Amino acid sequence: MLKSLLMSNYLWKKRPAYVIATMAMLMALSVVVNAVEAFKFADLQFSLTIAIMAFIGLAAGPVSGFLIGFFGDLLGFFINSGGYAYYPWVGISTGLFALVAGLVSMKKSEKVYVSYIKIAIFAVVTFVICTLFINTLFYYLAFYKGTLNFFDYMIMRVFGKLQFVNSLVNYALVFIGYTVLRNVKPLAFLFE
């Protein structure tokens, strides 16, 4: 059980060179998704970070996924800071997306509907913890404290600034990605 928290069961069965290569590819993917400037349209900021971190958590496992997400965010910031300061809360949130995906996927299920329930649990838990509280609380404390109360800012950020659209698209991509990728032989290990 403890070793499954550190790294996915699939990777525990592989040789060290394979594990290192896989982790390096996942880290590179994390860096790229975090370095690419988010698409912005009015107040809507769109990126694929949530979906990519979910699949990294599936492939790497909970703790490894968290570390890949956190350090991928940090390295992505160094590549493309956009002139902003680094906010570790965003990295923690990014890592938590992978951690939660890794946790809900630790015990594989033979029934497809159970996997969809796990994806729904991932979506609800990460939306509440990462989007509503960690990221929203950070931005509130950094930029809006004293001008709005927290819950007014949360409603403004999630619904007024359409942050929920980014989340819905990413969670839909996780559902679709699971449906499509579980039938691709080289990627079947994610879903065993």
Side-chain angles (χ1 to χ4, degrees):
M1 176 72 169
L2 181 60
K3 74 179 197 175
S4 295
L5 284 172
L6 297 175
M7 190 169 49
S8 69
N9 288 326
Y10 171 78
L11 290 176
W12 277 112
K13 298 173 189 171
K14 297 298 181 182
R15 295 187 314 186
Y18 184 91
V19 172
I20 291 168
T22 302
M23 293 293 192
M25 288 188 309
L26 294 173
M27 177 59 88
L29 179 61
S30 179
V31 170
V32 168
V33 77
N34 284 293
V36 172
E37 185 69 34
F39 171 76
K40 294 180 182 177
F41 179 74
D43 278 345
L44 175 61
Q45 181 174 322
F46 181 79
S47 74
L48 297 174
T49 304
I50 296 170
I52 299 295
M53 288 303 119
F55 288 106
I56 286 173
L58 282 172
V63 173
S64 295
F66 175 84
L67 294 172
I68 289 169
F70 179 81
F71 287 110
D73 178 71
L74 180 63
L75 293 172
F77 168 79
F78 288 135
I79 292 169
N80 182 14
S81 69
Y84 298 106
Y86 179 68
Y87 304 125
W89 293 109
V90 175
I92 291 169
S93 176
T94 301
L96 284 174
F97 283 111
L99 179 107
V100 172
L103 286 173
V104 298
S105 69
M106 281 176 57
K107 183 153 174 63
K108 303 299 181 190
S109 173
E110 305 252 341
K111 308 229 186 269
V112 174
Y113 76 90
V114 173
S115 297
Y116 287 115
I117 291 170
K118 288 180 178 185
I119 294 170
I121 290 168
F122 161 79
V124 170
V125 168
T126 57
F127 184 76
V128 170
I129 292 173
C130 300
T131 302
L132 292 184
F133 288 102
I134 294 176
N135 288 339
T136 302
L137 181 61
F138 165 74
Y139 287 116
Y140 170 74
L141 293 174
F143 303 111
Y144 292 95
K145 188 176 179 185
T147 60
L148 292 171
N149 75 47
F150 174 70
F151 291 103
D152 288 343
Y153 173 69
M154 180 188 296
I155 290 168
M156 179 186 79
R157 178 176 185 264
V158 173
F159 297 106
K161 293 188 174 192
L162 302 176
Q163 184 62 41
F164 78 95
V165 173
N166 178 58
S167 296
L168 281 176
V169 168
N170 273 274
Y171 295 131
L173 287 173
V174 174
F175 275 97
I176 293 166
Y178 171 78
T179 303
V180 172
L181 297 177
R182 70 187 170 95
N183 295 315
V184 176
K185 285 217 186 252
L187 299 174
F189 74 90
L190 290 172
F191 313 104
E192 292 174 345

